[in-house]
Amino acid sequence: MTEKLDYIAIDFETANHYMNSACSVGLVRFIDGQEVDSCYSLIHPAKMYFIPEWTETIHHITYKDVYNKPYFPEVWDTMVMPFINKTLGLPLVAHNGNMFDMPVIKSCCKYFGMPLPQLEYFDSLIVARKTWPKIKSHKLTDLGAHFNIEYLAHDALEDSRTCGKLIKIAADEWGVNSVPELLQACKTSARSFDQPKVDFL
């Protein structure tokens, strides 16, 4: 893992409660805590499950938006991994990623018979709870409001960007200059996809 404050924020939206129903993904690269580039794609869900009203009203992605979009393997192989591989060794970070975004990757890889990626990741929700224990809610939307980050909630690219900004704010709060130092300060660690253990939040 890089010894700088370099990382890639990632976020998925799903069509419904099935973890393999990814319907969009956004990634934002941060170098020294600053955004340098990003990418986004809609995804045809693993099965064209009916997109229920409760999810459509959250992320505003409809059947018409995704029915002719590429499936997860194509998006992963042609956009996600090339984007990640531009700067080898950077960890992924997602908000509540241990419970949602990383299981989405695992479930989609399992469904499509793909190998799990050899990547490290950490969870910005854990970082937020350890950095700001007195804040009542550590939801991404509430943290964004607390720190005056204006963004479109439940848009995969916007959520990724906000997650990445929070990591920079947390690092400044702790007075650290790298991801390893930040994780050490928060008494957590990065993990890889072959580690099933989940942090207690």
Side-chain angles (χ1 to χ4, degrees):
M1 181 187 296
T2 177
E3 293 299 320
K4 297 180 180 180
L5 197 64
D6 301 344
Y7 48 91
I8 295 173
I10 186 170
D11 182 80
F12 286 92
E13 298 297 326
T14 56
N16 49 48
H17 65 279
Y18 291 102
M19 287 295 186
N20 66 0
S21 69
C23 60
S24 70
V25 61
L27 299 97
V28 182
R29 188 189 330 276
F30 287 81
I31 301 298
D32 196 25
Q34 302 298 318
E35 178 181 346
V36 294
D37 59 350
S38 63
C39 63
Y40 171 84
S41 179
L42 290 169
I43 304 170
H44 189 303
K47 294 181 180 178
M48 185 48 79
Y49 301 110
F50 173 68
I51 300 179
E53 184 177 353
W54 67 268
T55 55
E56 185 178 325
T57 56
I58 292 172
H59 52 50
H60 307 294
I61 295 172
T62 69
Y63 170 83
K64 290 182 179 179
D65 293 323
V66 298
Y67 81 95
N68 63 346
K69 299 305 179 184
Y71 285 89
F72 179 86
E74 182 178 348
V75 174
W76 187 261
D77 291 341
T78 65
M79 188 193 81
V80 175
M81 286 308 300
F83 182 85
I84 292 173
N85 287 336
K86 284 182 181 178
T87 41
L88 293 175
L90 298 195
L92 301 179
V93 59
H95 203 74
N96 198 28
N98 288 349
M99 299 300 293
F100 182 73
D101 301 275
M102 302 311 151
V104 167
I105 293 174
K106 292 179 182 180
S107 295
C108 288
C109 286
K110 181 178 180 180
Y111 181 87
F112 287 105
M114 300 165 59
L116 290 174
Q118 300 299 306
L119 300 169
E120 290 189 323
Y121 60 87
F122 65 100
D123 194 328
S124 61
L125 177 57
I126 295 174
V127 171
R129 285 178 169 171
K130 296 294 180 66
T131 306
W132 305 292
K134 294 184 179 180
I135 294 180
K136 291 183 178 180
S137 172
H138 295 91
K139 290 182 179 179
L140 190 62
T141 50
D142 293 332
L143 288 169
H146 181 85
F147 291 105
N148 298 313
I149 301 172
E150 295 185 6
Y151 78 106
L152 178 62
H154 303 294
D155 173 275
L157 185 59
E158 292 278 317
D159 283 353
S160 296
R161 180 171 288 116
T162 301
C163 167
K165 289 180 178 179
L166 289 172
I167 292 301
K168 169 59 174 171
I169 296 171
D172 290 344
E173 184 83 11
W174 287 103
V176 298
N177 299 305
S178 71
V179 171
E181 289 176 324
L182 176 61
L183 297 182
Q184 183 177 17
C186 294
K187 295 181 172 59
T188 187
S189 60
R191 64 168 55 129
S192 59
F193 284 94
D194 57 1
Q195 294 176 295
K197 179 184 175 184
V198 174
D199 285 308
F200 292 99
L201 302 179

